Amino acid sequence: MRGAWLDEGKLTYREDLEEPAGEAVVTVMLAGICGTDLELLHGYAGFHGIPGHEFVGRVERSADRPDLVGRRVVGEINVACGDCATCHAGRPTHCERRSVVGIRRHPGCFAERLALPVANLHLVPDSVPDEVAVFAEPAAAALHVLDAVSPQAGERVLVVGTGRLGILVARALLTTPADVRVLARNQARLPRLASLGLPATLEAAPGSCDVVVDCSGTAEGLALARAAVRPAGTLLLKGTHVGAASLDATSLVVDEVRVIGSRCGRFAPALRALASGELQVDDLVEARYPLSDCGRAFEHAGRPGALKVLLES
Ligand SMILES: [Zn+2]
Ligand SMILES: [Zn+2]
């Protein structure tokens, strides 16, 4: 099988990959490169194998569910054991024994095919094109912010970090009645943020915001985000950090700041938001590369300010 292979911080294109085996085998049509994939290259999660976790594909075979063959699907990335205390408690994304597609002990989607449990698959409505459906996973992650906070009219919400994830998170928050801004690093960024429909601010006064979401993935961004939270406000951590980022614990106590971690979200509401256009993503695709050009695609995705780069098999 053809696909990308990651080992010891190096990405290569190979044509000798092992065919996937599992409950359902899915032919990948489009796959998206995200910040996590770039971090895997730099050692995040110690992953080696086929990377990639954002995809839309078509079920090629499924012994138990032949009715799914030929159907267009997206897939949840946490593969839970179904049997541990956490799974029994209804929190499969936190399964103690989980593997994660393209991130932890499970081959990813930057290949012609991948295997997944049937339970992880979601049918894509016919009205949603591949270029939109491929955003199901990051859209779910972005909308998951709204499972943690529901900012009200008059509340000030700030998003720090305007990369791929930050843009989606800001758009998710803009569906609420709150006053949502993204923090622009400098004047030069303003036109681009405006073209993406994101209200921007060049600075956030310390303690001025009710809710701040850090999507920066940097220690500097996290510090800016923390400073902007008002006493008894909420700091939501969305970006993954490769190194250790620090927060002053005493100031969190004194200011009674609520700190919330946020990772993967629910696919069903994400697909609904993509189908209805409530969450717009079609303007976020920056480039497409064939699978055989995965090296160049990763290089492109890693450029500062790059939007979504897709791989097609
Ligand atoms: Zn991702
Ligand atoms: Zn489990």
Side-chain angles (χ1 to χ4, degrees):
M1 182 177 71
R2 301 182 298 111
W5 184 260
L6 179 70
D7 196 15
E8 303 203 336
K10 262 218 182 98
L11 188 83
T12 48
Y13 171 70
R14 286 171 52 170
E15 297 189 341
D16 61 349
L17 298 173
E18 216 174 291
E19 281 290 340
E23 282 182 16
V25 174
V26 176
T27 301
V28 179
M29 289 169 324
L30 276 182
I33 301 176
C34 90
T36 307
D37 301 314
L38 299 169
E39 284 170 21
L40 290 175
L41 264 184
H42 301 122
Y44 173 72
F47 178 79
H48 63 96
I50 303 169
H53 56 271
E54 301 177 2
F55 72 92
V56 55
R58 216 173 266 288
V59 177
E60 190 175 290
R61 53 182 190 271
S62 174
D64 295 341
R65 289 289 305 278
D67 55 304
L68 289 177
V69 172
R71 304 295 300 273
R72 215 155 51 101
V73 292
V74 290
E76 299 203 30
I77 70 174
N78 294 285
V79 179
C81 75
D83 208 29
C84 69
T86 311
C87 282
H88 282 304
R91 295 187 297 271
T93 59
H94 291 282
C95 166
E96 298 148 30
R97 292 198 284 265
R98 73 183 180 275
S99 57
V100 186
V101 174
I103 296 173
R104 188 201 282 199
R105 295 193 322 271
H106 194 292
C109 63
F110 295 159
E112 288 177 277
R113 287 171 287 282
L114 88 159
L116 272 176
V118 167
N120 283 53
L121 301 180
H122 293 259
L123 295 173
V124 177
D126 290 342
S127 64
V128 180
D130 290 346
E131 303 73 36
V132 171
V134 73
F135 282 89
E137 196 277 333
L143 288 164
H144 189 43
V145 166
L146 301 180
D147 293 328
V149 291
S150 38
Q152 304 299 308
E155 289 198 301
R156 304 226 279 184
V157 178
L158 182 73
V159 177
V160 179
T162 52
R164 289 167 281 253
L165 181 61
I167 292 168
L168 282 176
V169 166
R171 285 186 173 175
L173 286 161
L174 281 165
T175 65
T176 73
D179 173 15
V180 179
R181 301 283 155 95
V182 300
L183 184 63
R185 225 175 309 153
N186 51 51
Q187 201 93 32
R189 308 271 294 177
L190 293 177
R192 184 159 162 280
L193 294 172
S195 75
L196 291 166
L198 303 179
T201 176
L202 279 166
E203 53 183 12
S208 62
C209 299
D210 300 281
V211 176
V212 182
V213 185
D214 173 43
C215 301
S216 71
T218 68
E220 184 199 6
L222 179 60
L224 283 169
R226 161 64 189 100
V229 182
R230 68 157 164 81
T234 301
L235 174 62
L236 219 141
L237 306 180
K238 197 69 198 169
T240 47
H241 293 256
V242 176
S246 64
L247 283 170
D248 176 354
T250 301
S251 88
L252 296 175
V253 171
V254 171
D255 287 343
E256 298 193 321
V257 169
R258 200 160 65 114
V259 181
I260 302 176
S262 175
R263 182 170 40 97
C264 295
R266 296 171 291 134
F267 269 49
L271 281 169
R272 280 198 296 273
L274 291 174
S276 69
E278 192 181 14
L279 192 62
Q280 195 197 348
V281 296
D282 55 4
D283 57 342
L284 300 182
V285 176
E286 180 161 311
R288 284 172 176 240
Y289 289 86
L291 200 49
S292 55
D293 254 349
C294 54
R296 281 207 307 141
F298 263 63
E299 182 273 316
H300 188 155
R303 290 177 205 159
L307 296 177
K308 188 60 78 183
V309 174
L310 300 177
L311 285 168
E312 45 196 349
S313 25

